[in-house]
Amino acid sequence: MKHFRYGDFIVIGIILLAAGFSLRSAFVKKGGLVKVEAAGKSYEYSLQKDGIYKIQGSLGISIIEIKDGQVRIIDSPCPNKVCIHQRWGKTIACLPNDVLVYVEDNEEEELDAIAE
């Protein structure tokens, strides 16, 4: 049976540390903004603050919900309700009511070795 050397423990420690940071970044709620363009007006809401907001569109009021870092449209005056059926998403459009909802992350994007 082979015995561990001092250097082996250092390598294992570095690997465990890197894994811990990777897991932490995967589960931490990222910051960002919900941006809404509706009937020529713009609105911004924090993705970290849960809430229900009314947005005036061309046909009437669309209602968006922000919860747990996600956004969706929960009500709209449009005839076919496609925007409501899109559920939670990063980009949601209600074309008849002229409402566009999208998430913009406010964190800097990191380049990997391939993109550089």
Side-chain angles (χ1 to χ4, degrees):
M1 179 180 229
K2 203 172 188 183
H3 291 20
F4 285 106
R5 293 179 288 185
Y6 181 71
D8 295 336
F9 289 109
I10 292 175
V11 171
I12 292 170
I14 291 171
I15 291 171
L16 289 175
L17 217 91
F21 280 117
S22 295
L23 286 173
R24 180 182 164 268
S25 65
F27 290 106
V28 170
K29 189 190 316 188
K30 295 182 179 178
L33 292 175
V34 174
K35 294 196 173 187
V36 181
E37 305 288 332
K41 295 184 181 179
S42 298
Y43 308 90
E44 288 185 359
Y45 304 98
S46 173
L47 194 57
Q48 295 180 359
K49 183 179 178 189
D50 293 351
I52 295 177
Y53 305 95
K54 295 180 180 181
I55 308 297
Q56 181 64 48
S58 299
L59 299 176
I61 295 176
S62 289
I63 301 174
I64 65 168
E65 178 182 20
I66 299 172
K67 185 174 180 182
D68 298 329
Q70 297 179 313
V71 64
R72 68 179 176 165
I73 295 178
I74 58 175
D75 193 28
S76 186
C78 59
N80 53 10
K81 311 288 186 201
V82 171
C83 56
I84 296 171
H85 298 298
Q86 290 179 23
R87 302 183 189 241
W88 302 100
K90 284 200 167 233
T91 304
I92 306 166
C94 181
L95 298 179
N97 199 26
D98 193 24
V99 173
L100 175 65
V101 179
Y102 59 96
V103 174
E104 185 175 276
D105 292 330
N106 62 0
E107 295 182 3
E108 295 181 20
E109 293 183 23
E110 295 181 17
L111 297 176
D112 60 11
I114 296 171
E116 292 176 353

